[in-house]
Amino acid sequence: MIRRTHPALSAWAWLVYAFLYLPIMVLVVFSFNDSRFGATWAGFTTKWYGVLFARADVREALAHTLEIALLSTLVSTVLGTLVGLGLWRYTLRFRTALTGLLVLPIVVPDVVMGVSLLMFYSFVRQGLERLGWTFDNGFWTVLLAHVTFQISYVALTVRSRLAGYGPELEEAARDLGATGLQSFTQVVLPLALPGVLAGALLAFTLSLDDFVVTYFASGSGFSTLPVLIYTNVKRGVTPDINALSALLVLVTVVAIVAANALLRPRRDT
Amino acid sequence: MKRAALLAGAGLLLLTGCYRVQKPAVSAPDAPITRGDGKTLRVFIWSEYIDPDLVKAFEKQNGVRVVLDTFESNEAMLAKLQGGGAQYDLAVPSNYVVQTMVRAGLLRPLDRARLKNLKNIAPGFLNADYDPGNVYSVPYQYAATGLAYNRQRYVPQDTWAEIFGPDDRRSFVLLDDPREVIGAALKYLGFSANTTRVEELRAARDLLRRAVAKKGFQGFDGGPGTRNKLLARTVDLGQIYVGDLLIATEEDENVQVLLPRQGTTISMDTLVVLKRSPNPALAHRFIDFILDAENGAQLSNYTYYATPNAAARPYLDDFLKDIPALNPPAAWLTDGRLDFIGELPSGRPQRLYDRIWTELKSR
């Protein structure tokens, strides 16, 4: 039997979606507005996209954003998957506490995370300076910062993907003669894979969008697109920044749709 | 695995030890100049607040590279500098945070001998309360807070009575900033925008209560929103930083701004050299470059903010010279009509301002 949704309910749902997405739509539409301040519609133009790509600071920030997002996703996916598998497979004494620790970076406000990382880095720097080594906040500190919060997302996605399966799957594989490595690569990993990929995509979009943590973790001369956009807001958003935000939204949406497709429960199992 | 964890733990303990022994870098009387190659100048500044051509000229003149990083509020800038995360040479804080930065040990006293062009600054902008003797800071650009309007819709009188008077036919927007809003009410009443007197603050509170109860009150806004409303002619009046409005005249010359005759608040952005600056000598050279008459004018011609540089005035674009709101009469600086938004003593006065603001916002 197919249950129909009440029309009022679906109307409400559409309203909620409109409320969520209309502002973004407006932003996208106004990135094609031929007016510097976007208060009134002054005709269609794509010139802001041209202005955007002519800006050296934008190109540089774009490169930084992509480097950080790709590399941090790679690192956090490997580490996060291991954590997720570990939590699924082993009965650990402090399992609840460990899971709690894993959730922490997700629930802690970004500002707390950003400032604590900033202090941590400067503390490490002062220690290293005594040993004669120095480093500047920049690529590496931002990369590390992103990995720290991404690991949680990946680990939790992987764990929840595997939640329905018991450890007996692996035991069965071992009984049938598989080595530890074989049971991992041929049984556990394929099962976990959609979770791993979804986690990776989630991590990627989070890295792409992050402002607060990046702002505090980065040193001088290293900014990413969100940092560039946000610090431009003070004197009013210029339309080229609208164009940039529109592009960022586009990339994020594509990644999220892909993540959703991968997370969809498989019908064949 | 366990060994690695142990090693990491030991390393951390070691670092803790080092950290304890070492004095915090920021409070050292003369922090050593670290890693300055004299070739890269790192500047922490508001966005769109310097002409890129000016930066290029400085780079070429000195054979160096200038890295500009932007922040969106004084508080965010302060947090980042206090955390010690980045090695900047120069920062551009607003006047009211200069003392906070001095107390936090973030600033390096300026070397006057290196600032030959300091004489270009109008005397009224030197030696201000926020930095007596200009030990740490040099005025960069300032913004007065004015009343903006679109003359095709409505031309107001040059008085705060447009907002605080009994007439309630006009729609208006106030700045989303406690010191600006309470400051405007205080100026209308003839008090200092930095007053700590309870009875004066009460009078301002009562005035503001009535103002926000008017049916024309359209809310608080940071500035860009007000500008858009004026361009779209959906409000009559908006309290706004003069520079933020003037930039809109490029799109519609009918948007204008005036300074109320009772006086108003101004906020000065300043150039400071950071204590941990790797290249203090270069930082001084940059400040002196900005203080140059023609460079100072080029700055304002780009940002539309007002220049404290008296020698720069002749080089301003004619369009900017003609705007009274950008060039308040020199007498206003001395007759108490222009108040720098100052730091409040903590405790009771601070709490009073906070309480008034909370009440207004939650009305």
Side-chain angles (χ1 to χ4, degrees):
Chain A
M1 190 182 97
I2 302 164
R3 279 180 58 183
R4 303 292 300 269
T5 348
H6 194 277
L9 201 62
S10 50
W12 178 248
W14 281 111
L15 264 176
V16 170
Y17 277 115
F19 180 77
L20 286 177
Y21 289 103
L22 229 47
I24 299 178
M25 298 289 286
V26 169
L27 175 96
V28 174
V29 169
F30 271 77
S31 71
F32 296 104
N33 186 5
D34 194 8
S35 142
R36 183 163 169 199
F37 299 103
T40 40
W41 184 258
F44 180 87
T45 178
T46 52
K47 74 173 171 193
W48 300 118
Y49 288 85
V51 170
L52 181 67
F53 289 113
R55 280 176 64 168
D57 56 340
V58 169
R59 283 200 308 269
E60 198 181 317
L62 175 71
H64 290 160
T65 310
L66 291 178
E67 279 165 19
I68 291 284
L70 289 171
L71 212 60
S72 67
T73 302
L74 202 70
V75 175
S76 63
T77 305
V78 172
L79 294 178
T81 303
L82 292 177
V83 176
L85 287 175
L87 281 173
W88 165 70
R89 188 173 168 202
Y90 299 104
T91 21
L92 301 161
R93 217 172 347 147
F94 303 110
R95 189 173 178 154
T96 326
L98 275 177
T99 316
L101 275 179
L102 213 54
V103 177
L104 211 60
I106 297 178
V107 294
V108 156
D110 280 357
V111 183
V112 175
M113 183 121 180
V115 171
S116 63
L117 276 165
L118 174 59
M119 288 170 74
F120 174 72
Y121 289 144
S122 96
F123 163 85
V124 170
R125 187 193 0 263
Q126 290 184 24
L128 287 181
E129 264 169 13
R130 289 183 64 85
L131 301 174
W133 296 332
T134 55
F135 71 92
D136 263 334
N137 286 10
F139 181 81
W140 294 106
T141 51
V142 173
L143 184 74
L144 263 174
H146 281 211
V147 169
T148 47
F149 67 75
Q150 287 169 322
I151 283 183
S152 301
Y153 287 90
V154 177
L156 290 176
T157 326
V158 169
R159 202 183 70 130
S160 59
R161 165 71 197 174
L162 291 172
Y165 307 104
E168 56 292 349
L169 265 172
E170 214 186 349
E171 284 159 19
R174 299 296 285 274
D175 285 345
L176 293 170
T179 63
L181 189 67
Q182 278 174 329
S183 77
F184 176 73
T185 56
Q186 305 200 357
V187 178
V188 179
L189 203 55
L191 278 177
L193 200 58
V196 174
L197 290 179
L201 279 168
L202 206 57
F204 182 75
T205 53
L206 284 168
S207 168
L208 216 55
D209 290 347
D210 180 75
F211 162 69
V212 181
V213 174
T214 313
Y215 176 80
F216 285 111
S218 70
S220 51
F222 187 90
S223 53
T224 61
L225 284 181
V227 172
L228 192 78
I229 292 174
Y230 193 72
T231 53
N232 263 282
V233 168
K234 164 79 180 162
R235 291 198 70 190
V237 186
T238 47
D240 48 332
I241 294 297
N242 278 350
L244 181 57
S245 312
L247 290 178
L248 217 54
V249 168
L250 185 76
V251 175
T252 313
V253 167
V254 168
I256 286 178
V257 167
N260 268 331
L262 287 166
L263 264 185
R264 196 171 296 154
R266 297 217 296 208
R267 304 213 177 273
D268 56 347
T269 48
Chain B
M1 220 22 217
K2 259 189 189 153
R3 200 162 20 160
L6 267 176
L7 270 175
L12 264 177
L13 274 176
L14 209 76
L15 287 175
T16 325
C18 296
Y19 186 71
R20 290 262 167 77
V21 175
Q22 195 195 23
K23 272 189 244 153
V26 284
S27 67
D30 275 303
I33 297 164
T34 52
R35 263 173 298 148
D37 55 2
K39 290 280 168 219
T40 311
L41 181 76
R42 296 166 193 274
V43 183
F44 209 18
I45 191 172
W46 306 86
S47 68
E48 288 184 76
Y49 209 38
I50 189 165
D51 185 349
D53 290 338
L54 216 46
V55 174
K56 274 191 211 115
F58 181 78
E59 285 179 327
K60 211 169 150 200
Q61 203 178 82
N62 293 280
V64 296
R65 198 166 73 94
V66 176
V67 175
L68 295 181
D69 272 352
T70 47
F71 54 85
E72 51 78 42
S73 74
N74 282 301
E75 288 68 26
M77 173 211 57
L78 204 56
K80 190 155 168 181
L81 291 179
Q82 275 186 310
Q87 305 270 324
Y88 291 106
D89 296 296
L90 279 170
V92 187
S94 300
N95 59 278
Y96 74 96
V97 279
V98 171
Q99 276 309 314
T100 313
M101 293 177 84
V102 171
R103 276 198 304 273
L106 291 170
L107 302 188
R108 176 187 288 265
L110 297 173
D111 180 359
R112 281 295 179 85
R114 292 172 190 268
L115 303 176
K116 304 255 184 305
N117 288 328
L118 193 61
K119 61 180 191 310
N120 288 345
I121 299 290
F125 291 111
L126 291 173
N127 209 8
D129 288 345
Y130 62 83
D131 183 16
N134 289 83
V135 178
Y136 295 98
S137 71
V138 160
Y140 180 69
Q141 292 195 109
Y142 70 95
T145 304
L147 271 180
Y149 57 98
N150 189 322
R151 67 182 174 202
Q152 285 194 315
R153 185 177 157 101
Y154 170 64
V155 178
Q157 301 285 306
D158 61 340
T159 164
W160 285 117
E162 293 280 351
I163 282 171
F164 299 119
D167 184 350
D168 70 347
R169 285 171 302 166
R170 298 297 161 202
S171 56
F172 63 96
V173 181
L174 293 173
L175 270 171
D176 192 5
D177 181 313
R179 296 300 306 278
E180 293 290 354
V181 169
I182 300 169
L186 287 168
K187 292 312 287 181
Y188 173 65
L189 294 167
F191 305 136
S192 156
N194 298 309
T195 189
T196 53
R197 295 211 182 122
V198 178
E199 61 273 30
E200 293 180 1
L201 282 166
R202 281 209 182 111
R205 179 197 61 195
D206 294 342
L207 193 65
L208 285 165
R209 268 186 193 159
R210 283 199 298 277
V212 301
K214 287 183 179 182
K215 62 177 185 295
F217 176 61
Q218 301 285 312
F220 299 99
D221 201 303
T226 306
R227 183 173 67 202
N228 289 350
K229 284 176 188 141
L230 288 159
L231 281 167
R233 287 173 226 154
T234 55
V235 294
D236 293 320
L237 296 164
Q239 186 194 15
I240 200 166
Y241 300 114
V242 171
D244 281 347
L245 192 273
L246 285 182
I247 202 123
T249 51
E250 282 181 357
E251 186 147 304
D252 183 351
E253 58 179 22
N254 289 309
V255 291
Q256 306 264 318
V257 62
L258 56 80
L259 299 184
R261 59 171 171 263
Q262 293 90 355
T264 187
T265 45
I266 52 175
S267 159
M268 176 68 78
D269 289 324
T270 67
L271 290 166
V272 295
V273 179
L274 296 164
K275 181 161 272 173
R276 300 188 55 187
S277 157
N279 304 292
L282 192 56
H284 279 80
R285 227 182 300 161
F286 186 81
I287 295 181
D288 209 41
F289 177 83
I290 294 293
L291 292 176
D292 173 77
E294 287 183 50
N295 292 340
Q298 192 177 338
L299 205 60
S300 288
N301 288 341
Y302 178 84
T303 61
Y304 290 4
Y305 270 75
T307 182
N309 191 329
R313 294 271 162 83
Y315 302 104
L316 286 177
D317 287 346
D318 287 339
F319 150 74
L320 294 177
K321 272 189 223 163
D322 296 342
I323 295 170
L326 202 61
N327 308 284
W332 280 34
L333 268 173
T334 43
D335 69 7
R337 269 196 274 195
L338 291 183
D339 286 343
F340 281 116
I341 295 221
E343 200 186 14
L344 294 169
S346 56
R348 184 125 195 255
Q350 180 95 60
R351 283 201 303 277
L352 272 169
Y353 276 84
D354 286 348
R355 209 181 306 152
I356 295 173
W357 185 242
T358 312
E359 188 194 322
L360 291 176
K361 290 279 275 193
S362 58
R363 125 212 112 86

